[in-house]
Amino acid sequence: MNNLSLFNELEQLLRNESAYCSEDGILLKNAIVEAALALRPSLIKLLLSHDGLKRNFFTEIDGVLVFDKIKFQKFVMNKRFLPDSYTSFKNKIGLTTEDGDFISDSREVVLSWPYKDCVLEGGQTKEDAKRNEVFWNEILAPDEINRLTEPKALCNFTRFNKMGGENVTSLSYDDNFIIRGNNLLVLYSLLPKYSGRIKLIYIDPPYNTGSDSFKYNDSFNHASWYTFMHNRLFIAKRLLKRDGIICVQCSFHEFAYLKLLMDELFDKCLATFNIQVRHPDRILTGDKEYNDVIEYILIYANAQEAKMPKQIEDKTDEEYIFDVQEIGEPEIANFDGKRVEIFTPNKYKILTREPNSTLSKRISIRGSLREKNSSGRLFVKHIEPIMEHYPPETIFKVYGMGDDSFGFRRFYTAPTGRKNGGYFQGKPTSSPITEKPYPNYYNFESDYNNVGYEGGVSFRNGKKPEALLCFLINLFSKKDDIILDFHLGSGTTAAVAHKIGRHYIGIEQMDYIKTLACERLKRVIEGEHGGVSQSVNWQGGGSFVYCELAAANQTFVDEIFAAESTDVLQKIWERMQQTGFLSWKVEPKQFEENAKAFEELSLDDQKLFLVECLDKNLLYIPLSEVDNDEFGLDSRDRELTRKFYAM
């Protein structure tokens, strides 16, 4: 039986069950998939009643039929099955994995990631020193994941303030946290205490430029990148407050697909900011096909009713300089019941005076003002049709209009040689402020040019200027709100949040979190004067708490990547076996039987193999195992872990 016939047979079979149909008789894909994943007996029995479905989705093992629920899920979610159902994707542009499955339906997890440039300057002793960071881009299938996303134990707590580092004795939501560990697992660990508490998330994830370079992988392919982003953004949404905002910065390489992904995950797209990061004439590498000078910040809200903030400006007298004096008797008219007095140019004069709230300013009627402004609409409807009967610059004084103290609005026809007329407006009295929309383009070129040693730390190809983060944080949050950055890098987000009175959580998995972000924040506390310090009058003070996810198998990962010989790796392998924390796919006896083949691998491939042997569910110590002596967590870290989750 071909797939098309099988689709039809399955559809007819499922229509016999009301649980899988709407009141209108339309089959519901979601209900069918949920029943399959839950192994509901009614569905299993139904499928077994059909020989074709039985052959395709069941395998006999020692006389027992085993249902392949993953295969069935993929089959049902295929766009050729139920193309007219509520959950079909015929009108949806979907992001898919390499296998063609929608990422929104995928239960795979991209555990680790590369940076857009893996040659990072961080912690080196010489300015021109470089080191190659090692990453493995591992994807875990659903059947490999059991305890991966459980909250994790924490360790190595230190509080930093003006006195330096000190022991931590208490923790609260008022504390700022810098946490080292895999960002996906830290996000899951934050959920129990920070769900619905974060006001603003800003991240600057890997851009997936196509030139990413890291050990064991030639490229961070599109499907892996989408899944990687989906994994993390899905959890980030749960951390946001109801009125929370997320800002994700990216380049053109993944902009379009990232927008699709975020359209699916978040309730509302508020804006896309276009950020100029370099001058159009400044070409960094001559082999580029064109000079890429713009990056993008996708801004999404956690609620459909959210709106972009407005620019608030105090109203001033600066533009109110015109004094219109009437010197002759007007002609009388009527516009839709409004009294109108018409003054030809010889019956009035206009004087220019020093700015004063009793005077008027001149506004030209053009563009959207003709349709979206009540004065513009009146001008188009009543004055334009009769303009040819009056000389240029004739004034029409219309009573009962305007948000000022005059009680009327003076309109004028276009001067000779000009196309547009306009009106004189008095200073509005309803509000002392003016609200204007923010533009979607900002030039931060000069800030990017000077970002090199901002904050006293160097970080190649990834550092963002403090001015940019200050703009975003001020725009979307207020004092004492919590800001989250789970791609912390050099720590710009945390540094700016600290200076302008926000609480913050920064997450970074690389060891330079100590030499970059933490050292930078120590300087902030001491009162450093770089970045936005002067503009926000920063004087120093405050504190932050540094801690780490408590490593289990991650310790082996770090040792494996640091090893410089096969002999060292062999010794690590011996200790790995003693822990019992190996992947269920690994049989140690077979490793010993093929020891010679292992030795013939390159050192990099030997490292990759040993990393794959580890159970990734136990990279870090689960919170539920905090008192398990087998993991070796000391009593102080156990106590502070409990305090963190008891906040």
Side-chain angles (χ1 to χ4, degrees):
M1 181 181 294
N2 61 39
N3 273 354
L4 187 58
S5 298
L6 202 59
F7 287 142
N8 295 333
E9 293 288 339
L10 178 60
E11 180 180 355
Q12 292 179 16
L13 193 66
L14 291 170
R15 288 192 182 281
N16 295 325
E17 294 292 327
S18 60
Y20 308 128
C21 297
S22 69
E23 292 181 358
D24 298 329
I26 298 175
L27 284 174
L28 304 173
K29 277 189 177 181
N30 286 347
I32 298 166
V33 171
E34 288 174 8
L37 294 178
L39 298 177
R40 290 182 186 151
S42 59
L43 178 64
I44 302 299
K45 184 177 179 181
L46 193 65
L47 296 177
L48 285 172
S49 68
H50 188 283
D51 289 339
L53 297 171
K54 181 178 177 181
R55 285 194 303 272
N56 273 272
F57 301 115
F58 293 84
T59 302
E60 186 173 333
I61 302 176
D62 293 335
V64 177
L65 288 176
V66 178
F67 177 49
D68 190 337
K69 62 182 181 181
I70 302 302
K71 180 180 179 182
F72 181 77
Q73 178 192 20
K74 291 180 178 180
F75 184 84
V76 171
M77 296 310 292
N78 189 295
K79 62 184 179 182
R80 289 174 294 171
F81 178 64
L82 303 182
D84 296 320
S85 73
Y86 288 136
T87 55
S88 69
F89 295 94
K90 68 174 184 177
N91 294 319
K92 174 182 174 183
I93 301 173
L95 300 177
T96 63
T97 65
E98 289 180 302
D99 296 327
D101 302 316
F102 284 103
I103 285 172
S104 58
D105 299 320
S106 172
R107 296 164 62 211
E108 292 181 335
V109 168
V110 175
L111 191 58
S112 295
W113 65 95
Y115 278 75
K116 53 189 171 183
D117 183 345
C118 284
V119 179
L120 300 174
E121 295 180 26
Q124 57 272 63
T125 56
K126 296 182 180 179
E127 182 179 333
D128 60 351
K130 296 179 180 178
R131 63 181 183 183
N132 289 314
E133 303 291 0
V134 180
F135 298 84
W136 84 99
N137 174 29
E138 187 162 5
I139 300 176
L140 302 184
D143 60 358
E144 296 178 273
I145 301 169
N146 47 58
R147 309 184 70 181
L148 182 72
T149 58
E150 288 184 25
K152 302 295 185 281
L154 299 162
C155 65
N156 298 332
F157 287 84
T158 305
R159 186 184 301 277
F160 292 94
N161 52 33
K162 274 196 169 182
M163 304 302 293
E166 62 182 27
N167 289 333
V168 177
T169 57
S170 63
L171 296 168
S172 76
Y173 288 116
D174 291 333
D175 283 319
N176 303 310
F177 289 96
I178 301 296
I179 305 174
R180 182 185 177 189
N182 180 290
N183 64 359
L184 179 66
L185 306 188
V186 177
L187 289 173
Y188 272 106
S189 296
L190 292 176
L191 270 180
K193 301 309 298 180
Y194 283 92
S195 179
R197 286 183 174 268
I198 307 298
K199 181 58 191 292
L200 173 64
I201 296 174
Y202 168 86
I203 58 170
D204 175 34
Y207 286 2
N208 201 24
T209 63
S211 59
D212 300 317
S213 171
F214 55 104
K215 297 283 188 178
Y216 313 134
N217 291 272
D218 294 327
S219 65
F220 197 19
N221 66 60
H222 290 298
S224 294
W225 192 87
Y226 304 149
T227 305
F228 152 78
M229 291 299 296
H230 185 276
N231 293 157
R232 287 153 178 79
L233 293 174
F234 175 78
I235 301 303
K237 176 179 171 63
R238 295 171 61 185
L239 291 167
L240 281 175
K241 297 177 69 172
R242 174 68 182 170
D243 61 348
I245 302 293
I246 183 168
C247 300
V248 183
Q249 189 155 349
C250 65
S251 68
F252 73 91
H253 298 87
E254 296 291 0
F255 167 76
Y257 297 103
L258 178 60
K259 188 175 190 312
L260 286 175
L261 185 61
M262 296 187 72
D263 282 343
E264 183 174 318
L265 283 172
F266 294 92
D267 288 74
K268 185 177 183 180
C269 178
L270 288 186
T272 297
F273 283 171
N274 298 265
I275 307 296
Q276 183 168 326
V277 300
R278 64 181 65 90
H279 194 276
D281 294 333
R282 183 187 177 203
I283 301 176
L284 299 182
T285 56
D287 60 347
K288 284 190 172 184
E289 294 187 26
Y290 58 89
N291 196 14
D292 180 20
V293 301
I294 298 292
E295 291 185 2
Y296 308 92
I297 300 178
L298 290 166
I299 302 167
Y300 280 75
N302 212 26
Q304 188 62 41
E305 65 271 16
K307 293 183 178 180
M308 270 291 294
K310 298 285 188 181
Q311 297 183 73
I312 306 297
E313 295 181 359
D314 292 331
K315 292 176 180 175
T316 67
D317 299 340
E318 184 178 357
E319 297 178 281
Y320 298 92
I321 59 174
F322 297 109
D323 181 8
V324 182
Q325 296 184 352
E326 300 163 358
I327 57 176
E329 289 299 317
E331 175 185 338
I332 306 301
N334 184 288
F335 292 166
D336 289 340
K338 289 183 172 62
R339 175 182 170 85
V340 180
E341 296 176 354
I342 304 173
F343 296 85
T344 51
N346 62 328
K347 295 183 179 180
Y348 71 88
K349 62 181 179 178
I350 299 175
L351 304 177
T352 302
R353 303 186 183 279
E354 291 295 317
N356 188 291
S357 60
T358 63
L359 302 177
S360 301
K361 71 175 180 179
R362 191 193 300 264
I363 297 176
S364 176
I365 297 176
R366 65 179 70 187
S368 62
L369 278 182
R370 293 173 56 83
E371 300 173 358
K372 298 181 179 180
N373 176 287
S374 59
S375 294
R377 291 193 296 269
L378 181 139
F379 187 88
V380 170
K381 179 180 180 180
H382 293 287
I383 298 177
E384 282 190 350
I386 61 174
M387 283 195 306
E388 61 184 26
H389 302 300
Y390 296 92
E393 297 187 81
T394 295
I395 282 180
F396 294 79
K397 183 178 181 182
V398 183
Y399 285 85
M401 290 194 70
D403 178 23
D404 51 40
S405 59
F406 295 154
F408 54 78
R409 178 146 293 169
R410 290 188 175 100
F411 295 85
Y412 62 88
T413 57
T416 301
R418 299 287 183 86
K419 179 180 179 181
N420 300 304
Y423 59 90
F424 292 94
Q425 175 183 296
K427 187 176 181 181
T429 58
S430 60
S431 172
I433 62 172
T434 298
E435 293 186 352
K436 300 194 303 185
Y438 282 93
N440 68 348
Y441 168 80
Y442 297 91
N443 188 341
F444 282 92
E445 174 204 333
S446 61
D447 300 288
Y448 272 84
N449 284 341
N450 297 313
V451 77
Y453 287 93
E454 197 172 70
V457 297
S458 175
F459 189 70
R460 287 184 69 241
N461 296 338
K463 196 176 185 183
K464 297 297 180 284
E466 289 193 9
L468 173 60
L469 269 299
C470 191
F471 167 66
L472 293 172
I473 294 173
N474 276 323
L475 182 57
F476 295 114
S477 70
K478 61 182 184 299
K479 191 175 184 298
D480 294 329
D481 280 337
I482 302 175
I483 314 299
L484 170 64
D485 184 344
F486 52 89
H487 287 278
L488 188 61
S490 65
T492 303
T493 304
V496 173
H498 196 113
K499 292 178 183 180
I500 61 176
R502 272 59 162 180
H503 300 302
Y504 55 86
I505 301 172
I507 304 169
E508 177 59 63
Q509 80 166 16
M510 300 304 296
D511 57 3
Y512 52 69
I513 188 173
K514 292 183 177 180
T515 57
L516 292 181
C518 287
E519 288 302 316
R520 181 176 189 170
L521 287 167
K522 290 177 190 178
R523 294 188 183 94
V524 170
I525 291 171
E526 292 167 359
E528 62 96 0
H529 299 299
V532 299
S533 294
Q534 293 186 15
S535 63
V536 302
N537 193 30
W538 175 244
Q539 302 297 316
S543 68
F544 70 92
V545 173
Y546 172 83
C547 60
E548 302 173 357
L549 291 190
N553 276 343
Q554 183 63 40
T555 300
F556 286 123
V557 173
D558 295 339
E559 291 180 11
I560 289 168
F561 286 152
E564 296 182 355
S565 70
T566 299
D567 289 341
V568 173
L569 291 177
Q570 291 278 14
K571 292 176 181 178
I572 295 174
W573 166 246
E574 291 172 6
R575 288 191 290 112
M576 285 168 56
Q577 295 177 77
Q578 294 171 9
T579 65
F581 299 153
L582 299 180
S583 169
W584 57 269
K585 297 182 291 185
V586 175
E587 176 51 62
K589 182 181 290 188
Q590 291 182 357
F591 182 94
E592 302 303 330
E593 293 173 354
N594 294 277
K596 185 176 181 180
F598 175 79
E599 293 173 2
E600 292 173 351
L601 296 174
S602 68
L603 185 63
D604 283 349
D605 285 340
Q606 289 175 352
K607 292 180 179 182
L608 175 60
F609 177 78
L610 289 187
V611 168
E612 289 181 344
C613 288
L614 292 165
D615 181 356
K616 302 310 182 303
N617 294 285
L618 292 176
L619 285 176
Y620 301 98
I621 302 172
L623 175 62
S624 58
E625 301 288 346
V626 70
D627 291 319
N628 188 337
D629 292 335
E630 188 177 9
F631 288 100
L633 198 64
D634 67 34
S635 59
R636 177 176 173 274
D637 287 330
R638 293 178 184 182
E639 178 186 359
L640 289 173
T641 293
R642 293 191 187 94
K643 287 185 177 181
F644 179 86
Y645 286 103
M647 288 192 306

